[in-house]
Amino acid sequence: MLEVIHVSDTHFGPDRSLTIRGANAFERAEALVAAIRALPFVPDFIVHTGDVVNDPDPAAYALAAEVLADLPAPVYYATGNHDDVPMMRRTLAFGELESIAPESEDCLCYRITGSAGDKIEGFILDGKVPPSEGPHGYLGEAQINAVLDRITGTKPVAIFLHYPLVPIGSKWIDEHLLVTNGLAFQRAVMEKAGGYLRGIFSGHLHRGLTLYRDGVLHSGVSSPACEFSAAPGDTSCEFIPGGPIPFHHITFTKDATMVKAYSLPFSTGSPR
Ligand SMILES: [Fe+2]
């Protein structure tokens, strides 16, 4: 049994004043941390699937590190399209891990180790592409092979990354926000892990997502900063500010993956 908290897209600014369409990112991230601390159990680890900050800036990562240090368990971060890996490495505290793509300083690709790593084969992948290419993701061959090489087919496998892998049925998102080789990657993992593939967990959409494809669970958690529209015919992504504070509680057992979605009311000055 493994208890995991999944958060994403905190979008910290360089100081406490950054607002995103009227929502204060710092206050909302503080409320997120307070809500996780108030849970009546301590998770084995917490995964943050990227966009820790709104713009890569050492001051924003310093603020994020200060707030997220209050989380009650080791944290694993994935790279978002708004993130900078060298700054993340310098500023954020990660749980025990084994880097599996060490050839690149700009790539956060690793396996979760420590006691959690004894129970699942958990991989964090880095789908970031140069910002000039847009907000979609792509997984390089070295990362894919590094993950496939480490899947033994004897333990539950969980994949965490910023970008969703497969279409979600919303035009703009499907054209702009996915991992462009995501489906091929999913199929390769399925081939190696078989029935042990226990879920693919992402952020980026600023929208809670449950998707089932080819026998695989995809679960996405929304952003505490703001939500995005995801209607079938959307030709752009609309911001929906003033939403609740979201996080997911994922439980991995021998037989099941269970995801409980939290959606808590936010009010200015929520106690930390
Ligand atoms: Fe984001």
Side-chain angles (χ1 to χ4, degrees), residues 9-11 50-51 81-82 162 204-206 223 228:
D9 295 86
T10 42
H11 286 267
D51 283 1
N81 51 309
H82 288 254
H162 186 59
H204 199 26
L205 300 186
H206 291 223
S223 161
F228 290 168

